[in-house]
Amino acid sequence: MNRFLSRFSILALLLTGLAHPLPQASAESTNYYDLLQGDYWFLLDNGDRRRGHLLRIDDQGIELREDRGITRFIALDRIQQIHFPGAEVEEMAGELLAAENFPEARSALRALTLQRELFLPWLTDEQLWPFREFVSLLLHLEEPDEAIATVETLRPFLDDPAELQQLDEQILLAQFQRGNHEYVREEALEHVARNGPYANSMLGYYLLVHQHLGQHEYEEALWLALQPILFSHQIIPDWLPEIYTQALQAALAIEDDFQVLTLFVEMEERGLQWPTGSAYDALREQALEKLRAWQAEQEKQAARNESEEEESVEELATENNQSPEQDLNLPLETVRRLLR
């Protein structure tokens, strides 16, 4: 959809409350709303610039109070570009996100999106960033209803296929957080069928593996998780670290130590960031215990080899009732780094 051809009809919907409006301002973000007060700048189609306090906006145009109390009406079809007051709130929102102060960041971003939502047809790509960050943050905080409302408000004004695909994935993740299992399964299967294991996002695989794990279908979960892992060595798609942890969880459940150690060390080798959270921390500790046990066994084996130089590794394995079928051959430098 061309956002400019349809901007007046969509704006009319926004103004009448039919296009999933964002929540109204609340007490938690009052300070941010105060900071957003000030003069707007409008660039018009004839090159003129108009500055003033915004009095009202409707489906016909805007009304400004300019210097010396002059009131001016500007038709919507004359507006080319808008400059908003409150640039410091944008800076604060970025700093809050960087500091992982997510509740305050949510308040700042909510204020920015509410300030701009009625002007969406005229926003530049740079001016849209509060909407994108707000959706991501809401999903991080597991607030799917507001995330869906924000996506549906933003969607008509975007036409880039990659961005629209990202919005679709955010809707899918929000429905997952809502617990809409049947919808999620159908959409995840379609996502996998459409993109396969070579795409830039593995969200479909992640959601399907999650369902297998929830139903204690660990072998199916491991088999499915290994597909994007095996086919993604040239790229690092979104959700790949989470899928590694899912594969680890499944391998631990079926006591496949070979897969546990291989996956755990491979994550480090590929430089994948371990996901954050208590459940992930516990899973990592389990994998570390397996790695410590393997390292201890390797040290014992080395000691035995030194004292019994004439015996082969195969004979030692037979004596100790061990099978040499699977040789992990883990990179020692990576193992030492993990065990520090």
Side-chain angles (χ1 to χ4, degrees), residues 27-42:
E28 66 173 338
S29 52
T30 300
N31 291 338
Y32 296 110
Y33 282 91
D34 290 343
L35 291 171
L36 290 173
Q37 300 305 308
D39 286 349
Y40 287 69
W41 285 83
F42 293 90

Side-chain angles (χ1 to χ4, degrees), residues 147-191:
I148 290 173
T150 308
V151 167
E152 296 302 340
T153 299
L154 181 60
R155 187 195 299 273
F157 304 96
L158 299 178
D159 48 26
D160 179 71
E163 282 204 286
L164 292 172
Q165 179 180 339
Q166 184 179 20
L167 292 184
D168 289 340
E169 291 192 357
Q170 289 172 326
I171 290 287
L172 180 54
L173 185 56
Q175 293 292 355
F176 167 70
Q177 292 178 355
R178 275 180 164 178
N180 194 345
H181 303 299
E182 200 58 40
Y183 172 90
V184 168
R185 178 169 177 77
E186 291 177 6
E187 292 296 318
L189 284 169
E190 184 178 338
H191 189 279

Side-chain angles (χ1 to χ4, degrees), residues 110-171:
R110 181 181 286 125
L112 286 166
T113 56
L114 284 170
Q115 178 199 42
R116 299 178 184 194
E117 85 168 302
L118 293 182
F119 298 101
L120 274 166
W122 295 275
L123 298 189
T124 65
D125 187 69
E126 183 179 351
Q127 290 173 320
L128 285 171
W129 83 265
F131 292 89
R132 299 187 180 99
E133 292 293 340
F134 191 43
V135 174
S136 298
L137 180 57
L138 289 170
L139 292 173
H140 177 76
L141 296 173
E142 298 193 7
E143 298 180 9
D145 293 344
E146 193 171 358
I148 290 173
T150 308
V151 167
E152 296 302 340
T153 299
L154 181 60
R155 187 195 299 273
F157 304 96
L158 299 178
D159 48 26
D160 179 71
E163 282 204 286
L164 292 172
Q165 179 180 339
Q166 184 179 20
L167 292 184
D168 289 340
E169 291 192 357
Q170 289 172 326
I171 290 287

Side-chain angles (χ1 to χ4, degrees), residues 170-234:
Q170 289 172 326
I171 290 287
L172 180 54
L173 185 56
Q175 293 292 355
F176 167 70
Q177 292 178 355
R178 275 180 164 178
N180 194 345
H181 303 299
E182 200 58 40
Y183 172 90
V184 168
R185 178 169 177 77
E186 291 177 6
E187 292 296 318
L189 284 169
E190 184 178 338
H191 189 279
V192 168
R194 184 172 62 249
N195 300 300
Y198 306 100
N200 292 325
S201 172
M202 295 293 134
L203 178 59
Y205 280 99
Y206 171 81
L207 295 173
L208 291 173
V209 174
H210 185 276
Q211 289 193 343
H212 282 304
L213 290 173
Q215 296 166 3
H216 306 292
E217 298 167 351
Y218 298 115
E219 291 186 356
E220 293 87 345
L222 179 59
W223 177 84
L224 188 59
L226 286 176
Q227 292 185 41
I229 289 173
L230 292 173
F231 287 101
S232 65
H233 277 272
Q234 301 303 316

